[in-house]
Amino acid sequence: METVVLTRQHIAKIVKEKGFDHFMDRMISRLGEAFRAGGHGGVTPAREGFLRGPGDTAIIEWMPHHRPGDSVTIKTVGYTPYNPEEHRLPTIIGSMTRYDDVTGRLLAVCDGILPTAIRTGAASAIASRLLARPDSRVLGLVGAGAQAVTQAHALSRVFPLERIVVHDIDPAHARSFAERVEFLGLDVRVAPVTEIEATADIICTVTSVAVGGGPVLLGEHLLPHAHVNAIGADLIGKFEVPLHVLRSAFVTADHRGQALREGECQQLAEGDLGPDLMELCADPALAEAHRDGLTVFDSTGFALEDHVAFDVLLELAAEGGMGDHVQIEHLPEDALNPYAFA
Ligand SMILES: NC(=O)c1ccc[n+]([C@@H]2O[C@H](COP(=O)([O-])OP(=O)(O)OC[C@H]3O[C@@H](n4cnc5c(N)ncnc54)[C@H](O)[C@@H]3O)[C@@H](O)[C@H]2O)c1
């Protein structure tokens, strides 16, 4: 019995053959379906991890999702904010495994870097479609790293965007952003946070700000109808949105428990949160009432999203006849004898 292995080369081929837009559109659609269906009966506990690196600034986490009777998906993901500068590697590095819930067999293994970026963008597109004005034309980005690329891509798929205004604490990252999203064909300008707040209909905060270093938004110039996708908070003490903004906004989280522990919502009490994103997807009228006011999506990222991203990748690979089939596990013919080799 074999395990499907999707390597970087397979994923590159899938993306080249199908196109970035197809991949993102399918991700938005499949994630939306999963959210509307309350995760199809799956269970996603809050992630756990080991803090590491100088001053505990980095973490390796495991993010499990269980579909009883079907499968378990686990993403192992490292957040290493000094990676780009010191090792020329991404801040977020991960891989995913899928197990058969009946037998425990390893069914599939794949990269977790691209699926994470795509599904995080897709989640913001879904939240923004519910909470931002449908005619939103200006996207603001605070943080211009890897995730900012897929935030811009995903939002461009569901809004008539014309302009992106972008800020990063590292001016070189802000400057290179236009080139990285050239494929979107949008007007991209570097701007201070004050200008982003004063002009953007939708803002994504997507930084690697340090614990204790936030917030990255000022919250003094926001348009009354602004919608904020807060992506970066994922550690205790790390946040991007000022408390006074959260207090005056309608706030929804992707995963309530995780958001209260390590997202923007760690600044709030549980009673301050609105319905979560899955509840809003199931009953969009709950969101529509807030569209003309200030809204915040607290995105911490949870393993249901990884599970759906894995499904999408496996589907695309199967459609293109791609993927290696490898016998990783030693499954002896005599189940009672681990020394039995065929
Ligand atoms: N919500 C989710 O599902 C999800 C998924 C993946 C990553 N993330 C989080 O998103 C954040 C960004 O990830 P990435 O892969 O883009 O990292 P990255 O290192 O590629 O980019 C982060 C950018 O933030 C900038 N930055 C740091 N502090 C800043 C500040 N105070 N003001 C403005 N810019 C600042 C950095 O210079 C860098 O360009 C991380 O915190 C990561 O953990 C969240």
Side-chain angles (χ1 to χ4, degrees):
M1 286 192 236
E2 294 171 328
T3 299
V4 178
V5 179
L6 296 182
T7 62
R8 179 193 188 185
Q9 284 76 13
H10 296 129
I11 293 180
K13 210 163 167 220
I14 288 169
V15 169
K16 272 186 202 139
E17 281 183 11
K18 298 278 185 179
F20 290 115
D21 289 349
H22 179 93
F23 195 179
M24 182 60 86
D25 291 350
R26 204 185 284 205
M27 193 64 228
I28 294 170
S29 150
R30 294 295 300 278
L31 199 55
E33 271 168 44
F35 285 165
R36 270 192 301 283
H40 296 296
V43 181
T44 313
R47 63 184 160 224
E48 299 287 343
F50 294 121
L51 284 165
R52 43 185 264 280
D56 281 349
T57 47
I59 191 164
I60 289 182
E61 301 174 306
W62 48 97
M63 302 176 60
H65 176 75
H66 184 200
R67 287 275 165 96
D70 178 60
S71 61
V72 170
T73 295
I74 303 177
K75 182 168 80 176
T76 309
V77 60
Y79 166 69
T80 315
Y82 47 85
N83 258 355
E85 196 73 28
E86 294 183 17
H87 303 289
R88 296 175 64 86
L89 289 170
T91 293
I92 299 289
I93 297 185
S95 52
M96 298 200 284
T97 47
R98 160 93 37 110
Y99 300 90
D100 178 11
D101 195 45
V102 177
T103 62
R105 273 195 53 233
L106 176 63
L107 298 174
V109 180
C110 82
D111 161 60
I113 299 175
L114 186 65
T116 296
I118 299 257
R119 62 74 153 153
T120 306
S124 289
I126 292 165
S128 305
R129 211 163 39 186
L130 287 161
L131 292 167
R133 284 193 177 164
D135 62 349
S136 295
R137 293 183 200 283
V138 181
L139 169 65
L141 293 169
V142 181
Q147 308 307 317
V149 172
T150 47
Q151 292 293 309
H153 183 206
L155 289 160
S156 76
R157 301 303 297 161
V158 294
F159 289 95
L161 294 185
E162 289 171 357
R163 182 153 35 106
I164 299 178
V165 274
V166 59
H167 168 80
D168 196 290
I169 202 166
D170 183 333
H173 292 193
R175 273 197 307 273
S176 68
F177 189 72
E179 201 180 315
R180 283 179 276 137
V181 294
E182 205 180 356
F183 68 101
L184 299 178
L186 297 173
D187 173 23
V188 179
R189 290 184 208 165
V190 176
V193 174
T194 46
E195 188 183 327
I196 290 175
E197 290 191 354
T199 57
D201 303 298
I202 302 173
I203 297 177
C204 300
T205 56
V206 62
T207 73
S208 51
V209 65
V211 167
V216 301
L217 273 190
L218 305 167
E220 285 163 12
H221 313 273
L222 291 166
L223 296 176
H225 65 267
H227 170 68
V228 178
N229 296 300
I231 309 300
D234 51 6
L235 291 173
I236 294 168
K238 178 181 174 194
F239 46 82
E240 299 180 312
V241 181
L243 178 58
H244 73 269
V245 172
L246 295 175
R247 285 245 163 90
S248 56
F250 170 80
V251 179
T252 185
D254 51 5
H255 187 292
R256 203 182 288 260
Q258 217 171 253
L260 284 161
R261 190 180 70 187
E262 59 192 55
E264 297 302 328
C265 293
Q266 62 188 294
Q267 303 180 72
L268 297 174
E270 188 162 6
D272 299 331
L273 277 65
D276 67 28
L277 184 57
M278 290 209 276
E279 291 164 334
L280 296 185
C281 284
D283 185 359
L286 294 174
E288 272 155 30
H290 300 280
R291 261 196 196 148
D292 289 326
L294 189 58
T295 53
V296 175
F297 168 45
D298 186 4
S299 165
T300 55
F302 69 127
L304 166 62
E305 298 168 343
D306 300 313
H307 181 92
V308 176
F310 208 162
D311 279 351
V312 168
L313 266 179
L314 287 168
E315 269 170 33
L316 291 169
E319 285 167 19
M322 279 177 245
D324 290 337
H325 295 257
V326 182
Q327 283 191 353
I328 294 178
E329 292 164 310
H330 171 48
L331 304 169
E333 285 203 354
D334 179 352
L336 302 183
N337 183 5
Y339 288 155
F341 288 92

